[in-house]
Amino acid sequence: MIRKILHYPDPRLRQKAEPVLEMTPEMKKLVDDMAETMYAAPGVGLAATQIGEPHRIFLVDVAGEDEPSDLRVFINPEIVERRGECVGPEGCLSFPGVTEDIKRAAEVRVRAQDRDGKSFELEAEGLLAVAIQHELDHLDGVLMVDHMGMLKRRIVQRKLQKRAIEATR
Ligand code: GNR
Ligand code: NI
């Protein structure tokens, strides 16, 4: 089932997600809904927070258009190591039409569980590393605007607040 993606400034995007204690059938269904929602959007990643589900789950698929899909599921993710620095343009499905340069670690080592609850560790760089950091932020209620300077932040806030008001008309 495709779920509705929340847009900034929806207050649910600021909720801190809770750890997943067990991969129940309900949680697996949530993962499947998230995959369907992410591919339909389409997006490179999706955090459960973005569909109003406060659980520590995100998905990432950084495969190119002409490559086979490469879905990665992260449950209870933790970044255990960060190296280097990089700045690059980021978009977010909760900020439609917004793209801004954001500074991140260039490489990360992440520990998480998969859809079956099995633990794994992964070394990531490039877009995968950036997407992992972006998604982990969502689980802590941290958003793109929090990484921007005051000027850019105000421009983005005005743009999306105006759109949210228009949407209720
Ligand atoms: O689709 C998305 N693209 C993207 C591009 C650069 C850095 C991060 C991302 S994640 C984003 C999807 C999204 O909002 N995930 O939370
Ligand atoms: Ni996002």
Side-chain angles (χ1 to χ4, degrees):
M1 192 179 90
I2 295 177
R3 307 284 207 96
K4 198 175 146 234
I5 296 174
L6 305 177
H7 290 170
Y8 180 86
D10 193 304
R12 287 169 286 180
L13 290 170
R14 291 301 191 179
Q15 278 184 345
K16 195 170 152 64
E18 295 294 335
V20 175
L21 301 180
E22 198 189 340
M23 279 314 284
T24 58
E26 289 73 27
M27 284 297 154
K28 290 189 180 182
K29 170 74 165 70
L30 174 57
V31 169
D32 298 342
D33 281 358
M34 285 174 64
E36 212 182 323
T37 305
M38 179 180 80
Y39 289 122
V44 163
L46 186 75
T49 323
Q50 289 179 281
I51 57 167
E53 296 278 2
H55 307 289
R56 300 193 76 78
I57 303 175
F58 69 70
L59 314 183
V60 172
D61 188 339
V62 295
E65 264 177 53
D66 46 359
E67 289 168 358
S69 60
D70 181 23
L71 181 66
R72 293 166 196 266
V73 178
F74 298 79
I75 319 266
N76 301 325
E78 281 175 85
I79 293 179
V80 293
E81 213 181 312
R82 300 163 200 268
R83 274 188 305 271
E85 225 175 71
C86 67
V87 178
E90 291 189 24
C92 180
L93 295 170
S94 298
F95 290 79
V98 175
T99 308
E100 287 295 342
D101 277 349
I102 288 173
K103 186 161 84 176
R104 302 281 187 187
E107 293 170 52
V108 294
R109 184 167 186 84
V110 57
R111 191 177 291 161
Q113 286 133 254
D114 65 17
R115 189 178 173 282
D116 299 315
K118 193 170 172 291
S119 297
F120 67 93
E121 270 194 33
L122 174 76
E123 287 264 2
E125 56 171 25
L127 180 58
L128 181 59
V130 170
I132 287 169
Q133 293 169 78
H134 176 112
E135 302 311 334
L136 192 54
D137 269 358
H138 275 302
L139 301 185
D140 292 321
V142 174
L143 299 171
M144 275 177 76
V145 281
D146 304 329
H147 291 278
M148 293 174 196
M150 212 170 61
L151 185 63
K152 276 183 182 165
R153 182 191 302 222
R154 280 183 47 195
I155 292 167
V156 168
Q157 279 172 335
R158 287 228 184 107
K159 182 170 165 178
L160 292 187
Q161 263 153 13
K162 190 166 160 236
R163 198 176 297 163
I165 292 162
E166 280 165 6
T168 63
R169 280 210 187 101

